Amino acid sequence: MEKTEKIFVAGHRGMVGSAICRALAKEGFANVITRTHSELDLLDTKAVRGFYMSEKPDVAIIAAARVGGIGANSAANALFLYENEMIALNTVWQAAEAGVNRLLFLGSTCIYPRMAPQPIKEESLLTSALEKTNEGYALAKISGLKLCEFLRRDKGLLYHSLMPTNLYGPGDNYDIVGGHVLPTLIRKFETAEGHVDLWGTGSPLREFLHVDDLASACLFALSLENPPNVMNVGSGEEVSIRVLAEKVKAATGSNAEIRWDATKPDGTPRKLCDTSLIRSLGWKSAIPLDEGLAMTVASYRSELASGKIRL
Ligand code: GFB
């Protein structure tokens, strides 16, 4: 990817898209184009087509999605499937129609089977049943990455995908009901009065990656002349939800008692991705969980103080 190329970042206001824009600016990519939701509705095929046809970007990075934690996903699998499917099909297919030569599509490691052998290799895709709590989201993301793979094969377009593990960082969504576990725990401990109610048993294992590490992986993937169709991006740092809760408690300085509500879902028991592919090509994560967590608690506090927090 050349510094002068015109790069479209879809979803630039989200946690991932804004991290990618920061990384692009830092690396000197000056020709980045973005559209807010009100300027361009990515669910609207005609509008997306018109946008690509008039702007003709050289590169597109698809960081737009409806995302949420286990609560939001399991309550609205239909919505997560529909919106993410439409976003994927519109942003990828219409890019190809307009002659965009290179595209990076972002998925998630929840596309892999619930009981995939751990750590999860890229080859595990579509080998057995998905996790039910986020099946809609996973199916939509699988369509997107497959569309990229097929367009690359059928039309020779350099369309490829990254599958990041659970992400966190500045600009996250701190909604207690619909958010992902890490930001939700920060908010719960920061606002606790005596105790916090956490979901499930605390035994599931998760891997967390700071979003600035993902942004660096995106730039790395886009620098490869012949990238793999799908590459996992993770930190290799796996913790149980119970240990995560202790870490967040310490990082926020809270004294709250932790109570577990086992009527709430645990979700997939383990989700550690195998990152040997991207590491073999020369990329690895740089931000350890403890450091990233401390930075994120600080950004939660400043986002809250400035009134810019997403709840
Ligand atoms: O990030 P999260 O909501 O989703 O984490 P997934 C869920 C895990 O954290 C479960 C536990 O084991 C929950 O039981 N947990 C404990 C909590 N307390 C809480 C809490 O207060 N809030 C939340 N949210 N969880 C998501 C997918 O799966 O992973 C998405 O639903 C996406 O599609 C994302 O792919 C990366 O890790 O289970």
Side-chain angles (χ1 to χ4, degrees), residues 128-260:
S128 62
L130 296 166
E131 158 64 25
K132 290 288 175 206
T133 53
N134 55 41
E135 198 176 14
Y137 180 80
L139 286 167
K141 288 295 184 184
I142 291 171
S143 291
L145 78 88
K146 280 290 172 189
L147 186 57
C148 290
E149 188 182 316
F150 299 154
L151 284 165
R152 188 172 182 177
R153 198 173 63 202
D154 298 352
K155 298 195 175 188
L157 296 166
L158 197 43
Y159 287 16
H160 54 115
S161 307
L162 289 180
M163 297 303 128
T165 194
N166 287 34
L167 299 168
Y168 69 98
D172 212 336
N173 179 358
Y174 290 92
D175 170 13
I176 286 208
V177 179
H180 287 105
V181 61
L182 192 149
T184 301
L185 263 52
I186 291 179
R187 184 157 168 78
K188 282 186 174 177
F189 280 107
E190 286 281 276
T191 56
E193 286 173 11
H195 72 275
V196 291
D197 288 310
L198 303 187
W199 297 355
T201 59
S203 65
L205 296 163
R206 294 289 185 274
E207 178 190 14
F208 294 94
L209 181 74
H210 192 279
V211 71
D212 288 343
D213 270 337
L214 172 64
S216 111
C218 289
L219 267 55
F220 172 75
L222 285 164
S223 75
L224 299 174
E225 271 179 35
N226 187 21
N229 284 325
V230 175
M231 274 196 296
N232 290 338
V233 192
S235 61
E237 246 187 290
E238 188 180 38
V239 288
S240 67
I241 297 297
R242 191 173 293 276
V243 168
L244 177 72
E246 292 298 341
K247 282 183 183 292
V248 177
K249 182 175 169 173
T252 55
S254 168
N255 294 318
E257 178 206 345
I258 299 173
R259 296 181 187 167
W260 294 97

Side-chain angles (χ1 to χ4, degrees), residues 64-84:
R66 172 176 286 277
V67 297
I70 195 167
N73 268 272
S74 49
N77 265 287
L79 182 70
F80 275 78
L81 191 155
Y82 173 72
E83 289 197 359
N84 288 306

Side-chain angles (χ1 to χ4, degrees), residues 39-54:
E39 289 165 345
L40 176 64
D41 179 1
L42 298 177
L43 302 182
D44 180 341
T45 305
K46 249 176 100 179
V48 175
R49 182 180 181 81
F51 163 76
Y52 276 128
M53 290 294 180
S54 65

